[in-house]
PDB file of all heavy atoms in Angstrom:
ATOM      1  N   ARG A 100      -9.322  30.602  -1.356  1.00  0.00           N
ATOM      2  CA  ARG A 100     -10.180  29.563  -1.930  1.00  0.00           C
ATOM      3  C   ARG A 100     -10.099  29.483  -3.432  1.00  0.00           C
ATOM      4  O   ARG A 100     -10.234  28.426  -4.013  1.00  0.00           O
ATOM      5  CB  ARG A 100     -11.638  29.801  -1.508  1.00  0.00           C
ATOM      6  CG  ARG A 100     -11.884  29.284  -0.116  1.00  0.00           C
ATOM      7  CD  ARG A 100     -13.339  29.416   0.237  1.00  0.00           C
ATOM      8  NE  ARG A 100     -13.516  29.231   1.675  1.00  0.00           N
ATOM      9  CZ  ARG A 100     -14.560  29.657   2.362  1.00  0.00           C
ATOM     10  NH1 ARG A 100     -15.526  30.301   1.752  1.00  0.00           N
ATOM     11  NH2 ARG A 100     -14.644  29.435   3.650  1.00  0.00           N
ATOM     12  N   GLU A 101      -9.900  30.633  -4.076  1.00  0.00           N
ATOM     13  CA  GLU A 101      -9.825  30.581  -5.535  1.00  0.00           C
ATOM     14  C   GLU A 101      -8.687  29.670  -5.998  1.00  0.00           C
ATOM     15  O   GLU A 101      -8.783  29.014  -7.026  1.00  0.00           O
ATOM     16  CB  GLU A 101      -9.682  31.978  -6.131  1.00  0.00           C
ATOM     17  CG  GLU A 101      -8.348  32.639  -5.832  1.00  0.00           C
ATOM     18  CD  GLU A 101      -8.254  34.038  -6.450  1.00  0.00           C
ATOM     19  OE1 GLU A 101      -8.874  34.978  -5.906  1.00  0.00           O
ATOM     20  OE2 GLU A 101      -7.568  34.171  -7.476  1.00  0.00           O
ATOM     21  N   HIS A 102      -7.639  29.617  -5.159  1.00  0.00           N
ATOM     22  CA  HIS A 102      -6.509  28.762  -5.518  1.00  0.00           C
ATOM     23  C   HIS A 102      -6.844  27.279  -5.370  1.00  0.00           C
ATOM     24  O   HIS A 102      -6.184  26.435  -5.953  1.00  0.00           O
ATOM     25  CB  HIS A 102      -5.282  29.101  -4.670  1.00  0.00           C
ATOM     26  CG  HIS A 102      -4.771  30.479  -4.912  1.00  0.00           C
ATOM     27  ND1 HIS A 102      -4.459  30.938  -6.163  1.00  0.00           N
ATOM     28  CD2 HIS A 102      -4.535  31.505  -4.054  1.00  0.00           C
ATOM     29  CE1 HIS A 102      -4.046  32.199  -6.064  1.00  0.00           C
ATOM     30  NE2 HIS A 102      -4.089  32.556  -4.800  1.00  0.00           N
ATOM     31  N   PHE A 103      -7.865  26.977  -4.538  1.00  0.00           N
ATOM     32  CA  PHE A 103      -8.259  25.580  -4.383  1.00  0.00           C
ATOM     33  C   PHE A 103      -8.692  25.006  -5.731  1.00  0.00           C
ATOM     34  O   PHE A 103      -8.576  23.821  -5.980  1.00  0.00           O
ATOM     35  CB  PHE A 103      -9.417  25.443  -3.383  1.00  0.00           C
ATOM     36  CG  PHE A 103      -8.967  25.366  -1.965  1.00  0.00           C
ATOM     37  CD1 PHE A 103      -9.240  26.401  -1.077  1.00  0.00           C
ATOM     38  CD2 PHE A 103      -8.269  24.269  -1.499  1.00  0.00           C
ATOM     39  CE1 PHE A 103      -8.828  26.337   0.245  1.00  0.00           C
ATOM     40  CE2 PHE A 103      -7.855  24.195  -0.180  1.00  0.00           C
ATOM     41  CZ  PHE A 103      -8.129  25.237   0.691  1.00  0.00           C
ATOM     42  N   LEU A 104      -9.204  25.872  -6.566  1.00  0.00           N
ATOM     43  CA  LEU A 104      -9.688  25.428  -7.866  1.00  0.00           C
ATOM     44  C   LEU A 104      -8.529  25.234  -8.840  1.00  0.00           C
ATOM     45  O   LEU A 104      -8.682  24.705  -9.927  1.00  0.00           O
ATOM     46  CB  LEU A 104     -10.682  26.449  -8.438  1.00  0.00           C
ATOM     47  CG  LEU A 104     -11.880  26.726  -7.518  1.00  0.00           C
ATOM     48  CD1 LEU A 104     -12.733  27.872  -8.065  1.00  0.00           C
ATOM     49  CD2 LEU A 104     -12.720  25.469  -7.351  1.00  0.00           C
ATOM     50  N   ASP A 105      -7.354  25.688  -8.411  1.00  0.00           N
ATOM     51  CA  ASP A 105      -6.164  25.610  -9.257  1.00  0.00           C
ATOM     52  C   ASP A 105      -5.379  24.359  -8.841  1.00  0.00           C
ATOM     53  O   ASP A 105      -4.870  24.283  -7.730  1.00  0.00           O
ATOM     54  CB  ASP A 105      -5.326  26.882  -9.025  1.00  0.00           C
ATOM     55  CG  ASP A 105      -4.007  26.874  -9.782  1.00  0.00           C
ATOM     56  OD1 ASP A 105      -3.633  25.815 -10.347  1.00  0.00           O
ATOM     57  OD2 ASP A 105      -3.346  27.920  -9.789  1.00  0.00           O
ATOM     58  N   GLY A 106      -5.311  23.390  -9.703  1.00  0.00           N
ATOM     59  CA  GLY A 106      -4.658  22.119  -9.375  1.00  0.00           C
ATOM     60  C   GLY A 106      -3.194  22.266  -9.000  1.00  0.00           C
ATOM     61  O   GLY A 106      -2.612  21.388  -8.364  1.00  0.00           O
ATOM     62  N   GLU A 107      -2.573  23.357  -9.372  1.00  0.00           N
ATOM     63  CA  GLU A 107      -1.145  23.555  -9.099  1.00  0.00           C
ATOM     64  C   GLU A 107      -0.882  24.204  -7.749  1.00  0.00           C
ATOM     65  O   GLU A 107       0.256  24.520  -7.429  1.00  0.00           O
ATOM     66  CB  GLU A 107      -0.493  24.374 -10.213  1.00  0.00           C
ATOM     67  CG  GLU A 107      -0.469  23.672 -11.566  1.00  0.00           C
ATOM     68  CD  GLU A 107       0.283  22.335 -11.506  1.00  0.00           C
ATOM     69  OE1 GLU A 107       1.406  22.317 -10.997  1.00  0.00           O
ATOM     70  OE2 GLU A 107      -0.292  21.318 -11.961  1.00  0.00           O
ATOM     71  N   VAL A 108      -1.945  24.452  -6.964  1.00  0.00           N
ATOM     72  CA  VAL A 108      -1.753  25.010  -5.630  1.00  0.00           C
ATOM     73  C   VAL A 108      -2.269  24.016  -4.599  1.00  0.00           C
ATOM     74  O   VAL A 108      -3.409  23.567  -4.680  1.00  0.00           O
ATOM     75  CB  VAL A 108      -2.495  26.363  -5.475  1.00  0.00           C
ATOM     76  CG1 VAL A 108      -2.283  26.911  -4.066  1.00  0.00           C
ATOM     77  CG2 VAL A 108      -2.013  27.361  -6.510  1.00  0.00           C
ATOM     78  N   PHE A 109      -1.415  23.654  -3.659  1.00  0.00           N
ATOM     79  CA  PHE A 109      -1.798  22.716  -2.603  1.00  0.00           C
ATOM     80  C   PHE A 109      -1.768  23.460  -1.275  1.00  0.00           C
ATOM     81  O   PHE A 109      -0.780  24.119  -0.959  1.00  0.00           O
ATOM     82  CB  PHE A 109      -0.811  21.547  -2.569  1.00  0.00           C
ATOM     83  CG  PHE A 109      -1.127  20.521  -1.510  1.00  0.00           C
ATOM     84  CD1 PHE A 109      -1.877  19.396  -1.828  1.00  0.00           C
ATOM     85  CD2 PHE A 109      -0.689  20.685  -0.202  1.00  0.00           C
ATOM     86  CE1 PHE A 109      -2.180  18.448  -0.858  1.00  0.00           C
ATOM     87  CE2 PHE A 109      -0.996  19.746   0.771  1.00  0.00           C
ATOM     88  CZ  PHE A 109      -1.742  18.622   0.435  1.00  0.00           C
ATOM     89  N   ILE A 110      -2.839  23.389  -0.497  1.00  0.00           N
ATOM     90  CA  ILE A 110      -2.912  24.110   0.771  1.00  0.00           C
ATOM     91  C   ILE A 110      -3.233  23.150   1.900  1.00  0.00           C
ATOM     92  O   ILE A 110      -4.131  22.329   1.777  1.00  0.00           O
ATOM     93  CB  ILE A 110      -4.009  25.199   0.725  1.00  0.00           C
ATOM     94  CG1 ILE A 110      -3.769  26.152  -0.455  1.00  0.00           C
ATOM     95  CG2 ILE A 110      -4.047  25.989   2.032  1.00  0.00           C
ATOM     96  CD1 ILE A 110      -4.878  27.164  -0.655  1.00  0.00           C
ATOM     97  N   ARG A 111      -2.503  23.265   2.999  1.00  0.00           N
ATOM     98  CA  ARG A 111      -2.781  22.413   4.148  1.00  0.00           C
ATOM     99  C   ARG A 111      -2.454  23.146   5.447  1.00  0.00           C
ATOM    100  O   ARG A 111      -1.432  23.821   5.542  1.00  0.00           O
ATOM    101  CB  ARG A 111      -1.930  21.138   4.059  1.00  0.00           C
ATOM    102  CG  ARG A 111      -2.091  20.196   5.227  1.00  0.00           C
ATOM    103  CD  ARG A 111      -3.389  19.403   5.158  1.00  0.00           C
ATOM    104  NE  ARG A 111      -3.446  18.396   6.195  1.00  0.00           N
ATOM    105  CZ  ARG A 111      -3.739  17.109   5.974  1.00  0.00           C
ATOM    106  NH1 ARG A 111      -4.004  16.680   4.761  1.00  0.00           N
ATOM    107  NH2 ARG A 111      -3.787  16.252   6.980  1.00  0.00           N
ATOM    108  N   SER A 112      -3.313  22.998   6.448  1.00  0.00           N
ATOM    109  CA  SER A 112      -3.072  23.614   7.758  1.00  0.00           C
ATOM    110  C   SER A 112      -2.587  22.598   8.775  1.00  0.00           C
ATOM    111  O   SER A 112      -2.975  21.436   8.729  1.00  0.00           O
ATOM    112  CB  SER A 112      -4.366  24.244   8.305  1.00  0.00           C
ATOM    113  OG  SER A 112      -4.687  25.384   7.585  1.00  0.00           O
ATOM    114  N   PHE A 113      -1.732  23.066   9.674  1.00  0.00           N
ATOM    115  CA  PHE A 113      -1.293  22.250  10.812  1.00  0.00           C
ATOM    116  C   PHE A 113      -1.668  22.978  12.094  1.00  0.00           C
ATOM    117  O   PHE A 113      -1.426  24.167  12.204  1.00  0.00           O
ATOM    118  CB  PHE A 113       0.233  22.083  10.813  1.00  0.00           C
ATOM    119  CG  PHE A 113       0.735  21.149   9.773  1.00  0.00           C
ATOM    120  CD1 PHE A 113       0.898  21.576   8.471  1.00  0.00           C
ATOM    121  CD2 PHE A 113       1.017  19.839  10.088  1.00  0.00           C
ATOM    122  CE1 PHE A 113       1.356  20.710   7.501  1.00  0.00           C
ATOM    123  CE2 PHE A 113       1.472  18.968   9.125  1.00  0.00           C
ATOM    124  CZ  PHE A 113       1.647  19.402   7.825  1.00  0.00           C
ATOM    125  N   ALA A 114      -2.209  22.252  13.053  1.00  0.00           N
ATOM    126  CA  ALA A 114      -2.489  22.875  14.346  1.00  0.00           C
ATOM    127  C   ALA A 114      -1.264  22.742  15.231  1.00  0.00           C
ATOM    128  O   ALA A 114      -0.561  21.740  15.196  1.00  0.00           O
ATOM    129  CB  ALA A 114      -3.682  22.207  15.001  1.00  0.00           C
ATOM    130  N   SER A 115      -1.003  23.789  16.005  1.00  0.00           N
ATOM    131  CA  SER A 115       0.154  23.789  16.907  1.00  0.00           C
ATOM    132  C   SER A 115      -0.217  23.134  18.218  1.00  0.00           C
ATOM    133  O   SER A 115      -0.807  23.750  19.089  1.00  0.00           O
ATOM    134  CB  SER A 115       0.568  25.239  17.160  1.00  0.00           C
ATOM    135  OG  SER A 115       1.571  25.289  18.129  1.00  0.00           O
TER     136      SER A 115
END
Side-chain angles (χ1 to χ4, degrees):
Chain A
R100 279 185 194 159
E101 68 180 76
H102 296 306
F103 275 112
L104 303 173
D105 176 350
E107 294 301 310
V108 179
F109 180 95
I110 304 174
R111 178 77 173 231
S112 288
F113 286 81
S115 173

